[in-house]
Amino acid sequence: LRLQAQMPRMSQQMMDAILSEVPRYSASPAAYSAAVLQRCRLATRLFLRIIASGRPPVSRDIRVVQAIARDVALSGEPLEPLLHALRIGARVGWDQTLQVSLVDPDVSPRTLLPLAGQVFEYIDQLSSRIAEAYAQQVEERPRPQALSEPAMFEDLLAGRPVPGAAGPRPRVVLAVASATPAVAETTSGRLRTRLPDAVVGQRRGHSIWLMERAPLGSLLADCAGDADVAFGLGTGSDDLALERAAQEAALAAELGLRLGLGQGRPRVFQYAEVYTYAAALAEAPALSRSHTALLGPLLGRPALLETLRQYFATGRSVSRTAAAVHLHRQSVVYRMRQVATLLDVSLDDAEAMFRLEAAVRTLPAA
């Protein structure tokens, strides 16, 4: 009875611990708190039922947790945060049970200790059933669209009717680019798990995802991991056909990767952000002449050219450039003075710096 009276408090403690300790949930507590609290209440009732009876979860309990796992899979959320939350909930529930046992002779530690191993064994069983339900849902969800997905992708881009399609047409385009095909495949595989409703195709040799709304940055960061991946993002509208948005998203990801644009993770680019570089690269002979005219004195001095490249890549930070090229800060200052002298420009001239940065970023790799 004392444990039952603690149910609301135990549920709240579980929720607080989960929102604090599970990184995905702690990053956006407002977005997850309602669902987490509901699951904590279910978990508390289940935990107390196991404690009171000493018996494993019944079929109804298993169906409930499996339904939660399927909902998580359908929403595109990863499985690990849910399993992490289950482990935290079991820990909090057991800690609360031990606290009650210290003051209630009917629930003494001597009585509880033999039950501890069974309880956590049952929690492991629930984890396995959750993982099975999640994996089954992920496997089954794309299957109906697998045979027709390429045709559906082309129909959506062309604005043609899609037979049997339900819900609003996708407006958002996500492109994935990596210099390593295996990395692109791995990232796309993770995206498939997280975005089961997206329709996938190819443009400019890159994986293209069509969806209703833009994915969260945290989702893209999780899927990319530590790999060098760039994402392009576009949105179709009355003024921009979805086909054009897909082409622009693919080009944005491609240029972001090729030119080393962006800082941190994930690196996500809109076409408008890379348009200047796209325009410059469109006319190769003229661009080559521009490189010679703007950077000629540096083309035979790779150390100075690399210093200038890192200077722009680090947002014109002398300290970060020094770290990137493994030099003392004063050595970078000296090199930049040499660059200014050789190119006959002022480092304070915004227009000259704009032209130089565009030239350096579009310069083919040595």
Side-chain angles (χ1 to χ4, degrees):
L1 290 177
R2 288 180 65 89
L3 281 173
Q4 290 177 348
Q6 295 290 330
M7 280 182 62
R9 182 165 176 256
M10 189 183 296
S11 298
Q12 185 64 46
Q13 287 180 327
M14 283 184 184
M15 184 185 78
D16 292 343
I18 289 168
L19 291 179
S20 171
E21 297 179 35
V22 178
R24 184 171 188 83
Y25 301 158
S26 64
S28 304
Y32 293 102
S33 58
V36 169
L37 180 58
Q38 181 185 28
R39 293 167 190 168
C40 286
R41 288 168 177 164
L42 288 170
T44 301
R45 288 197 292 271
L46 174 58
F47 182 82
L48 294 181
R49 188 181 306 152
I50 293 173
I51 289 289
S53 67
R55 294 194 297 272
V58 298
S59 298
R60 178 179 175 277
D61 298 329
I62 293 172
R63 287 196 299 271
V64 169
V65 297
Q66 287 184 319
I68 291 173
R70 286 192 289 270
D71 286 343
V72 169
L74 288 172
S75 68
E77 289 286 317
L79 175 62
E80 179 50 37
L82 179 62
L83 296 180
H84 191 180
L86 179 64
R87 295 191 293 270
I88 292 172
R91 185 199 73 207
V92 171
W94 188 254
D95 288 346
Q96 188 64 33
T97 302
L98 290 178
Q99 290 296 321
V100 170
S101 75
L102 296 176
V103 296
D104 190 338
D106 293 331
V107 194
S108 66
R110 186 183 298 274
T111 305
L112 289 176
L113 284 176
L115 188 58
Q118 284 183 306
V119 168
F120 284 94
E121 180 183 347
Y122 299 154
I123 297 298
D124 287 342
Q125 292 175 11
L126 283 177
S127 297
S128 297
R129 303 303 287 271
I130 287 172
E132 289 171 3
Y134 182 95
Q136 183 178 11
Q137 185 63 60
V138 169
E139 179 183 356
E140 290 178 353
R141 188 58 184 267
R143 192 174 295 160
Q145 63 174 208
L147 295 177
S148 60
E149 188 168 40
M152 185 184 301
F153 178 83
E154 296 299 333
D155 286 343
L156 287 170
L157 287 186
R160 294 189 291 265
V162 180
R169 295 176 71 90
R171 296 177 60 252
V172 174
V173 181
L174 177 73
V176 182
S178 173
T180 307
V183 169
E185 290 175 10
T186 298
T187 303
S188 294
R190 293 169 180 164
L191 282 170
R192 173 60 87 183
T193 300
R194 306 287 291 278
L195 301 172
D197 292 327
V199 180
V200 187
Q202 292 279 323
R203 281 297 181 272
R204 296 181 63 92
H206 304 298
S207 178
I208 303 294
W209 300 70
L210 307 181
M211 62 201 79
E212 292 179 32
R213 51 186 177 272
L216 295 173
S218 56
L219 183 151
L220 298 181
D222 286 348
C223 292
D226 295 327
D228 188 15
V229 177
F231 298 97
L233 201 59
T235 304
S237 66
D238 292 340
D239 299 323
L240 185 67
L242 197 61
E243 171 68 51
R244 178 62 181 173
Q247 294 285 356
E248 290 185 357
L251 185 55
E254 184 179 307
L255 290 180
L257 180 74
R258 173 181 169 185
L259 304 178
L261 304 177
Q263 300 291 320
R265 294 287 188 273
R267 293 193 293 149
V268 184
F269 304 96
Q270 301 273 358
Y271 182 68
E273 297 172 324
V274 301
Y275 172 77
T276 301
Y277 302 111
L281 290 164
E283 195 175 347
L287 181 60
S288 179
R289 293 196 302 272
S290 175
H291 287 153
T292 301
L294 293 172
L295 299 172
L298 299 187
L299 296 181
R301 307 187 68 165
L304 291 181
L305 185 59
E306 179 60 19
T307 302
L308 183 61
R309 190 191 302 274
Q310 293 299 331
Y311 181 69
F312 288 129
T314 59
R316 305 185 191 181
S317 166
V318 172
S319 297
R320 289 163 60 194
T321 300
V325 297
H326 309 291
L327 290 175
H328 189 274
R329 191 177 185 281
Q330 284 304 119
S331 297
V332 170
V333 171
Y334 175 72
R335 282 191 179 184
M336 291 306 299
R337 287 175 181 163
Q338 284 185 291
V339 167
T341 300
L342 288 168
L343 301 183
D344 193 22
V345 298
S346 168
L347 300 181
D348 296 324
D349 185 332
E351 185 175 346
M353 287 295 99
F354 170 77
R355 290 195 300 267
L356 275 186
E357 182 166 2
V360 167
R361 286 193 180 278
T362 55
L363 190 67

